[in-house]
Amino acid sequence: MLFPYTERTYSVPRIGSEFMPSLLDDIQRFHAGFTGYLLLSNSDEAAYLLFKAGVPIARAAFDAETERLRSFDKRLPAPLVPKESFWSAELLGCDEGLIPMLTSLFRNEPTAKFSGREMGKALENLAKQPLALLVRRYGLYCELALWEGGAYVIGYRYNRAVGGFLRVGEAQWNDDVEEADQLSVVPACAFDETPVQLPNDPDPLKSTLDKYISVFTELHLMLAWQLGDKTNVGMTRLLQRLKKRYSALYQGVELSEDGRSINWKHILENRNKVDTKYRYDQFFLYLDEILSNLIRGAAQKTENRILPELWKYTDRLYKIAPDKELASTRYFFSKIDRLRKKLEQE
């Protein structure tokens, strides 16, 4: 279900539920002070998280089967979406007038519902309410208007020509209105900016990137021990190849002055420069390329002498990993295992 918004800020075509902490971190990192709502949707349901100046202040969920919008107690840190599910994500900006209206919509159940032909009855009901919303639903989108004692205050209508919602006066709200699928009256509530409590789940992007970087760094040191200054030549060439292929992602990633490390973690700051399709579940494809190049290159340069020590290191890394249950962690170690088996067979 789509509610009024004033601009599309950010869109992700597909994201796994495990990466919700990464998405929320991106909103704070790359869209600081955002005002509007996050819409997470699939064919069966939708979840909403409303922000004001970067702070989540309300949430709700829509079930397509029951066609019901369900509110949440903001004090309870329930997950945004069910585990092991996939969603599209839209960050939809809103003006200040919409935020109190959406807060009421996400918090309160309708007190009355009418068919699209019963606008007169809906208006009679609104006249009895001190402050209430009128929701006009058309398929999968809703138009909203705020009424005070039966008098129109502000409204938002969907405009097909612009493909979005426009803030309108009463005349425009009533002009050339198609019959709605449903009309609902929702009481407005006192505006509450208390933050929504969300689960403190680990960010799988950060924790898994740390594992990749740990192997990159250890392998770098192993090579330096065996090959000396020749290692820096190889690392410089690798960075040059990566920057040639993905210049935006590897901008600012450099070999340290002492030649003992590379600031791989900087690519987290550059993730917003790559296609959204590759920012979450598939971001590890970039890291897999580095991992494969480094391990194969190290095996070739040392005639495989470096591999036994490297596998001992990755085995230890697995044993101490506190997040083995995460799909991203399982993915990382399965990638290591596949590389190991391939090299043993070659």
Side-chain angles (χ1 to χ4, degrees):
M1 182 69 68
L2 187 63
F3 300 111
Y5 62 90
T6 50
E7 66 173 345
R8 290 183 181 271
T9 304
Y10 183 55
S11 177
V12 183
R14 186 176 186 272
I15 182 170
S17 54
E18 183 176 297
F19 289 86
M20 290 302 148
S22 308
L23 177 59
L24 294 175
D25 183 70
D26 279 357
I27 294 172
Q28 299 298 331
R29 182 196 298 258
F30 301 121
H31 306 280
F34 171 74
T35 293
Y37 67 93
L38 170 65
L39 166 62
L40 300 163
S41 60
N42 57 31
S43 59
D44 299 318
E45 52 192 327
Y48 308 86
L49 187 62
L50 183 65
F51 291 83
K52 184 175 187 293
V55 179
I57 59 171
R59 57 176 299 194
F62 178 78
D63 187 302
E65 184 176 350
T66 62
E67 296 191 347
R68 179 173 174 263
L69 189 66
R70 180 166 56 95
S71 62
F72 289 82
D73 187 335
K74 64 167 64 182
R75 297 166 298 179
L76 302 178
L80 270 179
V81 293
K83 290 183 178 181
E84 298 181 0
S85 55
F86 290 89
W87 306 77
S88 65
E90 293 271 0
L91 200 59
L92 302 166
C94 298
D95 62 26
E96 292 291 334
L98 260 174
I99 300 304
M101 296 169 69
L102 290 172
T103 300
S104 296
L105 186 66
F106 290 170
R107 286 181 57 189
N108 295 335
E109 294 277 348
T111 54
K113 293 182 180 181
F114 306 93
S115 71
R117 297 179 180 180
E118 298 179 301
M119 178 62 80
K121 291 184 179 180
L123 292 175
E124 288 177 9
N125 187 284
L126 285 167
K128 302 174 185 177
Q129 309 283 343
L131 196 65
L133 299 174
L134 177 60
V135 184
R136 285 196 306 218
R137 178 181 170 187
Y138 298 92
L140 292 178
Y141 71 88
C142 290
E143 298 178 339
L144 296 180
L146 180 66
W147 298 73
E148 185 173 8
Y152 180 92
V153 178
I154 185 177
Y156 294 83
R157 286 193 65 180
Y158 187 78
N159 186 296
R160 289 187 177 87
V162 300
F165 292 85
L166 297 177
R167 183 170 174 167
V168 298
E170 186 173 8
Q172 292 170 297
W173 173 263
N174 292 319
D175 182 45
D176 193 25
V177 178
E178 297 179 8
E179 184 178 311
D181 297 330
Q182 187 181 72
L183 303 170
S184 302
V185 175
V186 177
C189 58
F191 188 50
D192 178 10
E193 296 188 47
T194 306
V196 170
Q197 297 299 311
L198 295 169
N200 188 27
D201 294 328
D203 184 334
L205 269 176
K206 290 181 178 178
S207 62
T208 308
L209 178 63
D210 285 344
K211 294 177 182 64
Y212 276 94
I213 291 176
S214 177
V215 174
F216 298 166
T217 302
E218 184 67 18
L219 193 51
H220 191 156
L221 293 174
M222 288 180 182
L223 283 169
W225 179 260
Q226 294 200 25
L227 304 178
D229 292 340
K230 292 180 182 179
T231 302
N232 292 348
V233 176
M235 290 297 183
T236 300
R237 287 175 179 169
L238 173 61
L239 282 177
Q240 289 172 344
R241 290 199 304 272
L242 292 171
K243 289 181 177 182
K244 189 174 181 178
R245 295 189 64 183
Y246 317 108
S247 58
L249 181 61
Y250 292 102
Q251 183 179 358
V253 179
E254 306 290 349
L255 186 68
S256 64
E257 290 186 7
D258 63 9
R260 295 177 62 84
S261 64
I262 293 173
N263 59 333
W264 294 111
K265 211 159 193 174
H266 190 70
I267 62 176
L268 268 182
E269 302 300 323
N270 294 335
R271 274 181 47 253
N272 65 324
K273 299 174 183 176
V274 302
D275 191 300
T276 52
K277 178 181 178 181
Y278 297 100
R279 288 187 199 174
Y280 300 98
D281 315 50
Q282 299 194 54
F283 185 69
F284 302 127
L285 295 175
Y286 295 108
L287 305 176
D288 289 343
E289 184 175 351
I290 302 171
L291 186 69
S292 181
N293 274 286
L294 278 176
I295 293 179
R296 288 185 175 278
Q300 183 180 15
K301 293 292 183 183
T302 65
E303 298 180 343
N304 293 334
R305 293 191 307 274
I306 205 169
L307 294 181
E309 196 62 33
L310 175 63
W311 304 141
K312 287 180 183 178
Y313 179 79
T314 57
D315 289 344
R316 290 197 301 272
L317 195 63
Y318 177 78
K319 288 179 181 178
I320 65 173
D323 52 2
K324 295 182 182 70
E325 77 286 353
L326 290 180
S328 54
T329 298
R330 296 196 300 270
Y331 173 89
F332 168 74
F333 286 109
S334 69
K335 179 65 178 180
I336 292 287
D337 287 341
R338 289 195 301 272
L339 277 170
R340 184 173 184 170
K341 290 174 182 177
K342 283 183 180 180
L343 288 169
E344 288 173 349
Q345 293 171 358
E346 290 177 0

